[in-house]
Amino acid sequence: MEPHNQTAVSQFLLLGLSDDPALQSVIFTLFLSMYLVTILGNLIIIMMVSSDPHLHTPMYFFLCNLSFNDICLHTCTIPRMLVNLQTQDQRITYTGCLCQVAFVIVFAFVENFLLTVMAYDCYVAICHPLVYTVIMNPHLCVLLFLSCLLISITVALFHTLMVLCLSFCTNLEIPNFFCELAQVIKLSCSDTIIDNTMVYVSTSIFGGVPFSGIIFSYIHIVSSVLRMPSSKGKHKAFSTCGSHLSVVSLF
């Protein structure tokens, strides 16, 4: 493949999910509906939590931020796809592609971290109820959220800067409806061993650790609930973390 200098790359082509015109109209309707439902549902959650003082608790603080993050994550990808389907123009600029890569990484990692923090909140509420308000104070909640955001931005900037160092070939077609980091790296003519290794390492660490944290928290939660003598206490404990279980199952 004929290599191009990185600065000469002006655009990529997003091939989308299908090139069949009949199927594209179905995909457009499906993704538009999904996007509107996602935006509306998350906005309802945010408005309900904001308007009800009884919901101003750590769990609903994180749930509210998770809903806003979900809106941002979908807005990074789906509107661009809908525009491409409507205009039949698959092009995306080099700068726009890198921005999309960075924002998708940020919001995807924030999502994972928030789910883990919510699991920790449930763990403290069930296993240490007497000191819950002391541990999960507003200062710690804000600090945990900012930590999630800072780590995610750092990882996204690191991967984006590594992509900036790559040179690309004549084949600039991305077989997806958005610029995914792994797909962009595959298009490079440069040696991508370090890039691919860092993708695997960061995914393993920042995906595996949050997942392990969720599993660890719920193992302790379930064991604590099973040791409760009354069925009423068990029901109350499970209802406390029921919203988080629903969110984790959905994601």
Side-chain angles (χ1 to χ4, degrees):
M1 291 185 291
E2 180 187 350
H4 282 284
N5 185 277
Q6 178 216 325
T7 56
V9 177
S10 60
Q11 62 187 19
F12 293 94
L13 293 178
L14 298 174
L15 300 184
L17 301 177
S18 174
D19 57 358
D20 184 357
L23 192 57
Q24 283 185 354
S25 60
V26 176
I27 294 174
F28 179 86
T29 304
L30 177 63
F31 274 80
L32 178 60
S33 302
M34 290 171 57
Y35 180 67
L36 293 177
V37 169
T38 299
I39 298 299
L40 181 61
N42 284 308
L43 284 177
I44 290 175
I45 292 175
I46 293 172
M47 288 188 294
M48 287 180 62
V49 173
S50 301
S51 60
D52 190 349
H54 295 93
L55 298 180
H56 293 175
T57 61
M59 170 60 72
Y60 288 101
F61 168 76
F62 294 124
L63 182 61
C64 191
N65 282 287
L66 184 66
S67 296
F68 179 74
N69 182 81
D70 195 40
I71 292 175
C72 295
L73 179 59
H74 284 80
T75 303
C76 287
T77 55
I78 295 182
R80 179 73 198 192
M81 173 194 181
L82 297 177
V83 171
N84 289 353
L85 288 173
Q86 192 69 20
T87 61
Q88 295 298 309
D89 185 1
Q90 299 174 319
R91 293 174 298 177
I92 183 172
T93 63
Y94 177 78
T95 304
C97 187
L98 290 188
C99 288
Q100 194 174 63
V101 167
F103 282 116
V104 167
I105 294 174
V106 169
F107 295 126
F109 276 68
V110 167
E111 188 173 279
N112 289 336
F113 291 139
L114 282 177
L115 290 174
T116 308
V117 170
M118 291 172 70
Y120 174 72
D121 176 75
C122 286
Y123 164 75
V124 176
I126 301 300
C127 301
H128 305 283
L130 298 179
V131 292
Y132 173 75
T133 55
V134 177
I135 297 175
M136 298 303 296
N137 57 77
H139 177 73
L140 179 63
C141 293
V142 173
L143 185 62
L144 287 172
F145 173 72
L146 292 178
S147 299
C148 296
L149 189 59
L150 180 61
I151 294 173
S152 302
I153 292 174
T154 303
V155 174
L157 286 176
F158 174 75
H159 284 297
T160 306
L161 290 174
M162 291 193 70
V163 173
L164 281 171
C165 298
L166 299 176
S167 58
F168 292 90
C169 307
T170 53
N171 180 22
L172 299 175
E173 297 178 345
I174 298 176
N176 209 332
F177 63 89
F178 69 98
C179 289
E180 185 186 5
L181 177 61
Q183 296 293 341
V184 173
I185 292 175
K186 283 183 180 179
L187 299 179
S188 174
C189 293
S190 306
D191 185 3
T192 59
I193 293 178
I194 297 178
D195 296 79
N196 287 320
T197 302
M198 294 311 300
V199 170
Y200 294 137
V201 169
S202 62
T203 302
S204 300
I205 295 175
F206 299 111
V209 172
F211 180 75
S212 301
I214 292 174
I215 298 299
F216 175 81
S217 297
Y218 274 96
I219 288 175
H220 282 270
I221 289 171
V222 171
S223 63
S224 297
V225 171
L226 292 178
R227 289 197 300 267
M228 293 180 178
S230 65
S231 57
K232 184 178 180 181
K234 293 180 180 179
H235 176 74
K236 183 179 180 180
F238 278 120
S239 64
T240 300
C241 55
S243 59
H244 181 256
L245 276 173
S246 302
V247 170
V248 171
S249 302
L250 180 62
F251 278 92

